[in-house]
Amino acid sequence: MTSLIILLIESILVLWMGIIFAIGALFGASIIYFISMHRAGTAGYAAKTVVIGLLTVPVAILLTLASASYVVTMAARKSLRVVGAVSRRIFGFKPTEDTCDDDPADTAEVTVHLVHGTFERRAPWTLPGSEMRKAIEGIKHKVKIARFSWSGKNSPAARSRAAQALAQKLKASPSRRHYIVAHSHGGNIVREMSHLYPEIASKIHGVCLLSTPFIFRREINRTAGNFIYLNSIGFIFATLIPVTAATLLFRFNAYLPDALIIASIIAFIVELVLSKYCRRSYAQELKVANEMMDLRDVQIYHAIGDEADSGLRFVSFLHEACFGVLSQLKAAAKLAKSKFHWPYVAAYVFFICTIGYVAFFPSVSKIWMAVNLIGLGVTIAVHVMQRFHSSTDDPPVLVAAALPIVTFSFWLAAAKAIAFGDWRLIFCPEILVSSSETPAGPHQVLKFAPQTDGTMVHSTHSHPEAVLNVASWLDSRLDAEEAGDARNKKPHAISQNIA
């Protein structure tokens, strides 16, 4: 029984290696074909691929290091929590209380809520004594300042939970009028809350959003067609990096080929499962359009050169550039559908030579004979399928040519997923995600330039001019509302018609 299982595993590994060899042979043959037959187009494709690759390699390195650091950090935190729990149980220590609670909204008239952004549960600008608080406290109207604290995690789920918590806080508050000053993703929390709870959002008389990157998510029709689903190749390559590192680290060098093949099979299956889950999850969320800002008197302050928003846009642009290159490959497939047989011929020559080499040198393992025979068989099968299938199918040689771009696309999708806080973006290339200075609709933006080169331009909440503008806006809004209330309280003359 054991020998049968070993034989089955070895057969699967040999089959997988043959498929990989076939893909590699077609890739090399397609490159030779395009260089010889379409020099200008190949040069353009190569140049774009190199540029995107040069920009992507640092991203891939940073993501790999960040992932390793994250794993180590989470393991350390888990260990500390376990040690802390054991210590409290043994010595009877009480857990320290979280001092990051909200300020209560205990006035029956006007409350100004301060909503912090991502990773800033104790944002200094929301705490007592900050310049923002002093400016609001200095206006001529009496208001209560209430700090709203949420987890600060960079994920749609965390922001949704915060939107629900903010709605509950507004509902429980006895205040008659509410104003909100929100920074960064705090603005997206307010926007989501306005759509989830419109009856509660009606209590808000004005919002001021500071450096909010308004996120747009939408499923679009990719002109690259089925090329976009080659994302799984990039996921497989990414999986092989830690497998290779671990194998070499523990000095299992002799098992490296087997480890890589097994890891690639597992990664391929995992990618299929995760892609299906992510698309189903997004299909539910994208049914609800929440790109508008369903609130009154929306003030939007934005910093010129905002580094956070610029980073989001850059990653999105570079990722979309990959789809642009894939679209050009799709167009090439339509223009020269019947001319893609020479790469197959070149692949046949390659496999015949390698088979002859293995046969001529008895010292070479016969496993490589099986691998090359499978690779040759796969190439023939793909060629035959290409001959008889619909003309709308993508030529496999172009699929092989797309390998570098789809690999880069995966790393950029991973970077975009981290930037937007949604890991599902890695497995949903048909979802367009980007950020904007304003939500959908007619909104004006008041821009602020940094005062010094050492100023973090994303921190609009601490920009002196922006702080004064927030206080001035609140003062003017309350002036207008008091004037309106006074007009409504005046007695109205009743006109009578005299016959």
Side-chain angles (χ1 to χ4, degrees):
M1 186 65 180
T2 305
S3 59
L4 183 61
I5 295 175
I6 294 175
L7 179 62
L8 179 61
I9 294 175
E10 289 181 349
S11 300
I12 294 174
L13 295 179
V14 170
L15 177 62
W16 189 253
M17 288 180 64
I19 294 173
I20 294 175
F21 265 50
I23 294 174
L26 280 176
F27 174 70
S30 63
I31 293 297
I32 296 172
Y33 169 78
F34 281 113
I35 290 176
S36 60
M37 300 298 294
H38 305 283
R39 295 182 181 85
T42 303
Y45 169 75
K48 294 173 184 176
T49 302
V50 169
V51 170
I52 293 175
L54 290 175
L55 293 173
T56 305
V57 167
V59 174
I61 294 173
L62 289 175
L63 287 179
T64 303
L65 294 176
S67 300
S69 175
Y70 175 79
V71 171
V72 172
T73 302
M74 293 304 295
R77 288 182 178 178
K78 183 67 175 179
S79 301
L80 289 175
R81 283 197 292 267
V82 171
V83 172
V86 173
S87 300
R88 288 192 295 270
R89 182 175 293 273
I90 295 175
F91 299 105
F93 294 152
K94 294 183 178 180
T96 57
E97 297 182 358
D98 187 3
T99 59
C100 210
D101 293 334
D102 297 342
D103 297 324
D106 55 2
T107 178
E109 187 55 35
V110 180
T111 300
V112 179
H113 302 267
L114 306 182
V115 183
H116 63 82
T118 307
F119 308 131
E120 290 187 312
R121 289 199 65 183
R122 292 194 59 83
W125 72 276
T126 64
L127 300 177
S130 69
E131 294 300 320
M132 179 68 74
R133 282 204 177 222
K134 286 192 279 188
I136 295 174
E137 291 166 352
I139 65 176
K140 59 179 175 288
H141 298 276
K142 182 180 179 181
V143 300
K144 167 67 180 179
I145 300 178
R147 179 178 181 274
F148 175 73
S149 175
W150 58 288
S151 68
K153 294 181 179 178
N154 186 27
S155 71
R159 291 191 285 271
S160 294
R161 289 192 294 269
Q164 296 173 12
L166 178 60
Q168 292 172 1
K169 182 175 183 177
L170 292 172
K171 183 179 181 180
S173 171
S175 297
R176 190 167 67 92
R177 299 171 184 169
H178 295 272
Y179 292 87
I180 296 179
V181 181
H183 174 245
S184 190
H185 276 313
N188 283 315
I189 290 171
V190 176
R191 179 175 69 164
E192 185 167 350
M193 185 272 297
S194 72
H195 290 278
L196 293 175
Y197 308 97
E199 69 286 352
I200 296 177
S202 63
K203 298 176 66 176
I204 301 174
H205 286 233
V207 296
C208 186
L209 307 176
L210 312 174
S211 298
T212 294
F214 296 98
I215 298 176
F216 291 83
R217 299 182 302 172
R218 184 166 297 173
E219 185 174 358
I220 64 174
N221 181 24
R222 295 289 188 189
T223 57
N226 293 329
F227 281 127
I228 65 172
Y229 298 114
L230 296 175
N231 186 69
S232 57
I233 298 173
F235 180 71
I236 291 173
F237 286 165
T239 305
L240 298 183
I241 293 176
V243 172
T244 303
T247 305
L248 297 177
L249 179 64
F250 293 102
R251 301 189 178 186
F252 294 142
N253 304 37
Y255 299 99
L256 180 59
D258 294 336
L260 294 180
I261 294 172
I262 293 174
S264 62
I265 295 174
I266 295 175
F268 180 74
I269 296 173
V270 169
E271 198 277 339
L272 289 178
V273 174
L274 289 178
S275 295
K276 185 177 180 180
Y277 164 77
C278 293
R279 293 187 184 105
R280 185 171 61 249
S281 176
Y282 262 131
Q284 297 297 322
E285 293 183 11
L286 296 179
K287 289 180 181 178
V288 182
N290 58 355
E291 296 175 350
M292 302 290 290
M293 197 75 180
D294 194 14
L295 293 166
R296 16 177 191 174
D297 194 11
V298 178
Q299 300 289 312
I300 299 175
Y301 294 176
H302 196 80
I304 298 173
D306 188 316
E307 67 274 6
D309 192 47
S310 298
L312 294 178
R313 295 191 191 189
F314 173 75
V315 173
S316 297
F317 157 74
L318 202 56
H319 191 221
E320 292 300 316
C322 292
F323 295 123
V325 176
L326 293 177
S327 295
Q328 293 179 350
L329 284 177
K330 182 72 174 180
K334 294 179 179 179
L335 293 174
K337 193 73 177 182
S338 62
K339 300 179 181 179
F340 291 132
H341 300 294
W342 285 110
Y344 292 104
V345 174
Y348 297 151
V349 172
F350 168 78
F351 281 115
I352 291 172
C353 292
T354 54
I355 291 172
Y357 177 82
V358 175
F360 186 76
F361 291 97
S363 59
V364 180
S365 174
K366 297 307 177 185
I367 291 179
W368 292 110
M369 176 66 76
V371 169
N372 284 283
L373 287 173
I374 292 173
L376 177 61
V378 170
T379 305
I380 293 173
V382 171
H383 194 185
V384 171
M385 291 172 59
Q386 185 64 48
R387 291 279 294 182
F388 293 101
H389 268 206
S390 170
S391 60
T392 59
D393 292 342
D394 298 324
V397 291
L398 282 181
V399 173
L403 290 180
I405 286 295
V406 296
T407 302
F408 300 149
S409 174
F410 168 81
W411 287 105
L412 293 171
K416 188 166 68 173
I418 292 175
F420 286 94
D422 192 348
W423 65 270
R424 295 172 299 174
L425 294 174
I426 299 175
F427 304 100
C428 293
E430 67 275 16
I431 302 297
L432 171 67
V433 179
S434 189
S435 65
S436 172
E437 293 180 357
T438 65
H443 296 280
Q444 293 184 344
V445 179
L446 186 60
K447 294 182 178 289
F448 297 90
Q451 295 181 324
T452 66
D453 57 2
T455 305
M456 292 290 286
V457 292
H458 183 63
S459 304
T460 321
H461 51 68
S462 300
H463 195 291
E465 187 179 350
V467 170
L468 292 177
N469 272 270
V470 171
S472 176
W473 164 70
L474 283 171
D475 231 356
S476 62
R477 281 291 301 170
L478 292 171
D479 282 342
E481 290 192 350
E482 286 190 358
D485 289 344
R487 285 194 299 269
N488 292 333
K489 290 179 182 178
K490 288 181 180 180
H492 295 278
I494 302 176
S495 59
Q496 296 180 346
N497 293 327
I498 301 177

